[in-house]
Amino acid sequence: MAPETSTSAERTGGRRSRRRGVPVPYDFRRPTKLSRQHARVLEITYETFCRQWATLLSSTLRTSVQVELDSVQQYSYDEYAATLATPSIMTVFDPEPLVGAGVLHLDTPLLLSCIERMLGGTGAQDQPRRVLTDIEAVLCRGLVERTLAELAASLTSILELKPHLQAIEQNPQFAQAAAATDVMIVASFHLQVDQTGGTATLALPLDPLSAALSAAELRVASPEELRIRRLMRDRLDDHLEHIPVEVSVRLNAAQLRPDEILALVPGDVLRLPHPADAPLEVVASDTVVASAVAGSRGSRLACLIVPTPEESSR
């Protein structure tokens, strides 16, 4: 059977097809090097990355964002690059300490929609497939660098990844991130930004990951263990919310010499170095958590929480 170049849609449906029991084509002349155990380790890791990436995009774009993992498969670099459209946003990074290069590919219309939101627009209009302007390229670089930071955080269970963005290519044929026959692990993601959907892929070289994956699969918990951990974490959060914590409100402290302290007698008045228009500090366990102004509620003293001086100056 001749090897077929899988389209983005085929890769997206690969994992869902396996879940439904639908047969997936297999080329016996090109046996897979990605074992089922290694694929499971990566799926668990990338699902964590999906949650962190969705949180990053939601806070950056100020809208609802969902990121789902579609599949984790192996391809040669040549096959992977052939599936990418031109022009296309193909970011190449150094996955230190791994040898080789990694690739994060983003759907161009989806990225342009995200950039429009970052610039204050709605991002709801259909976006063209074109090359980025200089300003758009700068915004894209910043977004990709923060995405790579979230990727490194999600891969800590496998290795201490320190990715460094090297280049942003808009023609996949010019991005020689690896040799044509090098095997890559390609993870496909579906992104839903409000009403706009798109795809993204993450490719890492398989051979440098093999040792790390073999060690990591021994540390991955079973689904039942993960369920129990989530249950215990939720219970802990519920109990922590109801634990009483001592909170106090204080003025700026005054400094006195030992002889001045020893000379204090009832009726003495101390001048505190606290401006009359400055807010008080709300303190819990010697940590300032908020600012407040003094007041009363009925017959009791009280304080009103107000913005901190840093927040007021913005």
Side-chain angles (χ1 to χ4, degrees):
M1 179 179 64
E4 298 179 355
T5 301
S6 300
T7 64
S8 177
E10 290 171 344
R11 292 202 314 275
T12 300
R15 188 180 178 199
R16 295 173 180 170
S17 297
R18 289 197 298 273
R19 289 178 175 176
R20 294 194 300 264
V22 178
V24 178
Y26 182 84
D27 188 354
F28 288 94
R29 294 184 300 180
R30 189 190 50 167
T32 178
K33 296 182 181 180
L34 182 62
S35 67
R36 181 174 300 178
Q37 292 80 4
H38 288 176
R40 178 172 173 269
V41 171
L42 286 175
E43 286 177 359
I44 294 175
T45 303
Y46 284 147
E47 285 173 356
T48 301
F49 171 58
C50 287
R51 293 191 292 270
Q52 295 176 347
W53 196 9
T55 301
L56 168 66
L57 293 177
S58 297
S59 60
T60 302
L61 305 179
R62 302 178 300 278
T63 189
S64 174
V65 179
Q66 294 181 347
V67 182
E68 295 182 355
L69 174 66
D70 285 329
S71 66
V72 177
Q73 300 182 31
Q74 79 164 43
Y75 296 96
S76 68
Y77 177 77
D78 190 45
E79 291 174 332
Y80 169 61
T83 64
L84 306 180
T86 302
S88 189
I89 310 304
M90 187 175 181
T91 59
V92 182
F93 62 93
D94 177 14
E96 185 185 347
L98 300 179
V99 178
V103 175
L104 176 63
H105 170 261
L106 301 171
D107 188 41
T108 303
L110 176 65
L111 177 62
L112 290 175
S113 177
C114 294
I115 291 176
E116 182 180 336
R117 290 180 179 275
M118 294 169 65
L119 295 175
T122 62
Q125 298 179 353
D126 293 337
Q127 301 292 335
R129 187 174 293 277
R130 58 170 175 81
V131 298
L132 301 180
T133 64
D134 292 341
I135 294 178
E136 291 169 345
V138 172
L139 295 175
C140 174
R141 175 177 288 271
L143 186 61
V144 170
E145 288 177 342
R146 283 177 286 172
T147 299
L148 293 179
E150 296 298 336
L151 174 64
S154 64
L155 288 174
T156 52
S157 61
I158 298 177
L159 77 162
E160 293 294 331
L161 189 70
K162 298 178 181 179
H164 303 285
L165 181 60
Q166 293 182 324
I168 298 178
E169 297 288 349
Q170 302 191 52
N171 189 333
Q173 305 303 321
F174 296 157
Q176 299 300 324
T181 57
D182 285 353
V183 180
M184 310 290 288
I185 298 179
V186 180
S188 302
F189 304 92
H190 177 75
L191 290 78
Q192 189 69 35
V193 181
D194 199 5
Q195 302 299 321
T196 305
T199 60
T201 57
L202 173 66
L204 291 172
L206 173 62
D207 290 340
L209 272 177
S210 296
L213 288 170
S214 298
E217 67 178 283
L218 301 177
R219 302 192 299 267
V220 175
S222 65
E224 180 63 19
E225 291 173 329
L226 293 176
R227 186 189 67 82
I228 294 176
R229 290 180 185 178
R230 287 193 294 267
L231 179 61
M232 297 303 295
R233 183 185 59 206
D234 293 341
R235 289 181 177 178
L236 180 62
D237 292 342
D238 292 340
H239 284 80
L240 286 176
E241 290 179 355
H242 302 288
I243 294 178
V245 178
E246 183 176 348
V247 178
S248 59
V249 180
R250 69 184 183 190
L251 302 166
N252 291 343
Q255 294 184 351
L256 298 176
R257 299 191 308 272
D259 60 326
E260 293 176 327
I261 297 176
L262 294 175
L264 290 175
V265 296
D268 286 347
V269 177
L270 294 178
R271 181 183 294 274
L272 299 179
H274 193 102
D277 58 347
L280 310 178
E281 294 180 341
V282 181
V283 182
S285 300
D286 291 330
T287 301
V288 178
V289 296
S291 297
V293 294
S296 62
R297 186 170 185 178
S299 60
R300 295 187 177 185
L301 294 176
C303 67
L304 176 66
I305 303 298
V306 297
T308 62
E310 293 79 6
E311 294 173 342
S312 301
S313 61
R314 292 176 183 174

